[in-house]
């Protein structure tokens, strides 16, 4: 995403390229899409995965566009809007976790790697021989995070 205006609760898929465009609230841009210069994607509109939106093209609010070049293929309903909102919220939470991990100091990365190597060597048999430590806090895992934020309850994935 470069030089673009992005609204709230917008979902932009992996490897999508958005240059000098406007994307309104609640819109979804699928994985691998290419959005040309001067394009606008309306509120709640969906651009399906792999689509190419030619420069200067406008996708009206609530429409589903797909293909190369992209054209209208349907209309987004309330169910699609809910899916986009749920997935955008989850993506935001995952982005926070990623940012926290991505900006760790190198010594903390090395320590985390060391800790995980030790944890992997702890078999149930080994752990049963240890005394309980009341100060012990288990290391966070992505799976645990996903359970905490109810990610497994997301009803669907965007088109």
């Amino acid at each position: 995403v470069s030089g673009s205006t992005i609204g709230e609760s917008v979902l932009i898929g992996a490897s999508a390229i958005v240059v000098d465009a406007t994307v309104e609230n609640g819109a979804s841009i699928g994985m691998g899409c290419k959005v040309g210069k001067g394009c606008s994607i309306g509120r709640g509109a969906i651009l399906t995965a792999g689509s190419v939106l030619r420069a200067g093209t406008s996708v009206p609010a609530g429409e589903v566009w797909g293909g190369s070049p992209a054209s209208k293929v349907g209309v987004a309903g309330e169910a699609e809007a809910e899916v986009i909102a749920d997935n955008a919220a989850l993506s935001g939470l995952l982005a926070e976790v990623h940012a926290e991990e991505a900006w760790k100091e190198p010594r903390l990365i090395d320590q985390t790697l060391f800790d995980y190597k030790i944890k992997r060597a702890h078999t149930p048999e080994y752990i049963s021989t240890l005394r309980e430590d009341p100060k012990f806090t288990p290391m966070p895992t992505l799976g645990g995070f996903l359970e905490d934020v109810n990610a497994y309850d997301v009803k669907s994935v965007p088109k």
Side-chain angles (χ1 to χ4, degrees):
V1 178
S2 173
S4 299
T5 302
I6 308 296
E8 294 181 13
S9 297
V10 170
L11 188 62
I12 299 177
S15 300
I17 299 171
V18 182
V19 179
D20 297 326
T22 301
V23 183
E24 294 185 24
N25 297 345
S28 174
I29 298 172
M31 295 186 336
C33 286
K34 292 177 179 48
V35 178
K37 187 175 186 174
C39 289
S40 66
I41 299 176
R43 178 184 217 83
I46 298 172
L47 187 60
T48 62
S51 297
V52 177
L53 195 60
R54 289 184 175 165
T57 304
S58 292
V59 177
E63 290 189 0
V64 179
W65 283 44
S68 178
S71 60
K72 182 179 177 181
V73 295
V75 177
E78 187 60 37
E80 286 85 2
E82 187 177 331
V83 167
I84 292 169
D86 288 350
N87 281 275
L90 177 59
S91 294
L93 292 172
L94 288 170
E96 289 175 14
V97 170
H98 175 73
E100 191 175 296
E101 289 295 313
W103 293 103
K104 274 187 177 178
E105 295 178 28
R107 68 178 180 77
L108 291 176
I109 294 170
D110 291 341
Q111 180 63 49
T112 300
L113 178 61
F114 179 75
D115 291 345
Y116 276 110
K117 284 182 179 178
I118 288 175
K119 183 178 178 184
R120 195 173 352 148
H122 289 179
T123 64
E125 294 79 22
Y126 173 77
I127 292 170
S128 69
T129 66
L130 300 175
R131 66 181 177 87
E132 187 175 328
D133 180 359
K135 296 179 184 173
F136 174 75
T137 304
M139 292 180 64
T141 62
L142 182 58
F145 171 79
L146 293 173
E147 285 178 6
D148 290 346
V149 298
N150 298 319
Y152 300 114
D153 296 336
V154 172
K155 295 176 189 76
S156 180
V157 294
K159 293 181 179 184

